[in-house]
Amino acid sequence: MAMDSAQELFEHELEDIYYAEHELLDVLDQLAEQTDHEEITRAFEEHREETEGHIDRVEQVFEMIGEPPEEEECEGIQGLVEEHRELADMDPDQDVLDIGNVTAAQKTEHYEIAAYGNLALMADRLGMDEAGDLLHENLEEEEAALEKLKDLTDQYDFETAAA
Ligand SMILES: [Fe+2]
Ligand SMILES: [Fe+2]
């Protein structure tokens, strides 16, 4: 089927991120479980809770455009999940895995930031103000989550992990 309008692209991108967010619920559960570092684990748990809010807002956007919430398989996130699985399969030391998990989570945040940044922009430009507001809220939370993860990397004691 040909895609011949920005509105259709918007819907497609919305379905893509809707799938990705559901995947990320599992990913964040797994990361929290695999990690043995209080602050990092808490960051994953907190962002998992926020992720439920993201899904809720995306569902509201579907309702605003009069479409049922549908998931479009998101190969971008699947690739990141697969990449992380490879790391976990290399039998890393716990310290190394902890920080590797933060790296993996940062990559997913970059994906989400690009997705929501463009969805919010399209919503604004297409005159869907309320939908735009919700998408901006998701975008801001993803950006804050990325900053939090970057702080964790900055503060991480790499000397310990190197020992
Ligand atoms: Fe999210
Ligand atoms: Fe996120």
Side-chain angles (χ1 to χ4, degrees):
M1 197 178 74
M3 186 183 288
D4 51 17
S5 71
Q7 180 73 34
E8 281 174 80
L9 174 64
F10 178 83
E11 263 176 59
H12 174 81
E13 291 296 304
L14 197 63
E15 290 172 358
D16 178 285
I17 197 67
Y18 190 55
Y19 175 100
E21 291 283 21
H22 282 99
E23 284 292 292
L24 288 168
L25 287 177
D26 292 343
V27 169
L28 288 161
D29 271 340
Q30 248 183 39
L31 291 175
E33 230 167 82
Q34 277 179 2
T35 302
D36 186 23
H37 181 292
E38 209 185 317
E39 252 190 298
I40 297 175
T41 306
R42 198 178 328 120
F44 293 147
E45 287 168 353
E46 283 172 9
H47 196 53
R48 191 204 184 276
E49 255 174 62
E50 285 179 337
T51 298
E52 286 178 1
H54 300 167
I55 290 173
D56 188 64
R57 291 195 192 104
V58 170
E59 285 173 352
Q60 291 179 56
V61 174
F62 274 114
E63 206 179 323
M64 286 171 184
I65 62 170
E67 293 293 331
E70 269 171 27
E71 292 180 31
E72 164 78 32
E73 197 175 332
C74 169
E75 276 135 351
I77 285 294
Q78 282 179 344
L80 293 176
V81 168
E82 184 54 39
E83 213 176 72
H84 176 261
R85 187 174 302 129
E86 279 172 21
L87 169 79
D89 285 349
M90 286 178 201
D91 196 24
D93 283 350
Q94 184 64 52
D95 288 338
V96 175
L97 181 60
D98 290 349
I99 200 65
N101 286 347
V102 180
T103 306
Q106 285 186 18
K107 290 178 185 173
T108 67
E109 293 312 319
H110 278 278
Y111 186 94
E112 289 184 286
I113 288 167
Y116 283 122
N118 285 287
L119 277 163
L121 181 81
M122 277 193 275
D124 291 344
R125 298 286 171 83
L126 295 169
M128 300 184 281
D129 294 349
E130 272 181 274
D133 288 347
L134 292 167
L135 294 163
H136 279 289
E137 281 179 52
N138 279 6
L139 175 62
E140 278 164 27
E141 283 189 5
E142 307 297 9
E143 285 171 341
L146 178 62
E147 284 313 306
K148 168 86 199 175
L149 293 167
K150 281 161 79 175
D151 284 349
L152 287 167
T153 314
D154 279 345
Q155 289 156 23
Y156 192 76
D157 181 5
F158 285 91
E159 301 286 324
T160 320

